[in-house]
Amino acid sequence: MEALIKDWGYIALFAYSFGGGFVGLIVAGVLSFAGDLNLYISIAVAASANFIGDQFLFFLARKNKSYAKDMMKNYGRKIALAHIMMRKYGSLVVFVQKYIYGIKTLIPLAMGLTKYSSVKFSIYNVFATIIWAVVVGYGSYAAGEYILAVADDFKYVGIGIVIVIAIGISFIFKRIDKK
């Protein structure tokens, strides 16, 4: 298993971080604590993928507005929340959105649909991504001992609980999105 993580861990982290990456970076931080991955490489990989993903979404919306609007039509409430956050926080929303599940991918799309400066978005996105990756990466690394101890204590029970929670959360989000 360790060889699989060392061979494919960074590639999996890149792919996962392209669309968000919060959980992937936490797992990479814990695996770095365990010695299976390098923390600095994990932070760099997650930050790179997250930055590229946000840039992709922003420019997708900027260059193909009808496609982006069609993609976002099923997320009415979340889009409304994204627009409220953009009005209330302005450019700081680029920093805030990195930590909020459910709207992380919608903020770059929504900002791409507006007349928000692409250069300004790119600059804020670079700094937001670096801060996000460092905070989450080092935070999970620092909590690695605790997380591994808890995981070892509840090895089999934890797997069942995680599966039930994941199914429950996905069911709840599917119901919210349909409303």
Side-chain angles (χ1 to χ4, degrees):
M1 185 66 155
E2 287 178 20
L4 182 69
I5 292 170
K6 288 179 181 178
D7 291 343
W8 295 96
Y10 299 118
I11 295 168
L13 178 61
F14 185 90
Y16 188 78
S17 296
F18 188 81
F22 204 85
V23 175
L25 186 52
I26 291 172
V27 170
V30 173
L31 289 173
S32 295
F33 176 82
D36 294 328
L37 295 175
N38 181 295
L39 178 64
Y40 303 111
I41 295 172
S42 296
I43 288 172
V45 166
S48 300
N50 191 274
F51 173 78
I52 293 168
D54 281 355
Q55 292 297 116
F56 172 77
L57 291 171
F58 180 86
F59 284 105
L60 172 77
R62 177 64 47 97
K63 300 296 180 189
N64 197 344
K65 292 184 188 290
S66 61
Y67 180 73
K69 286 179 183 178
D70 190 46
M71 275 179 45
M72 297 179 355
K73 70 181 177 187
N74 295 331
Y75 301 99
R77 288 186 195 174
K78 290 180 182 179
I79 294 299
L81 176 61
H83 284 287
I84 289 169
M85 288 178 67
M86 286 168 41
R87 282 191 199 109
K88 185 173 183 179
Y89 300 111
S91 296
L92 290 178
V93 76
V94 177
F95 290 88
V96 173
Q97 59 96 15
K98 299 275 185 200
Y99 303 94
I100 301 176
Y101 179 81
I103 65 165
K104 190 258 173 264
T105 56
L106 295 177
I107 293 288
L109 284 169
M111 291 181 96
L113 290 173
T114 66
K115 295 182 192 274
Y116 193 82
S117 167
S118 58
V119 173
K120 193 174 179 181
F121 178 80
S122 297
I123 292 169
Y124 280 114
N125 192 28
V126 165
F127 290 114
T129 302
I130 291 169
I131 291 168
W132 166 81
V134 169
V135 167
V136 174
Y138 278 115
S140 59
Y141 181 84
E145 183 176 5
Y146 175 75
I147 293 170
L148 289 174
V150 169
D152 195 40
D153 290 345
F154 295 101
K155 196 179 301 181
Y156 300 109
V157 175
I159 292 171
I161 290 171
V162 167
I163 290 170
V164 169
I165 290 171
I167 291 170
I169 289 173
S170 66
F171 177 75
I172 290 168
F173 279 115
K174 285 180 183 178
R175 290 192 73 204
I176 290 171
D177 286 340
K178 289 182 182 181
K179 289 184 181 182

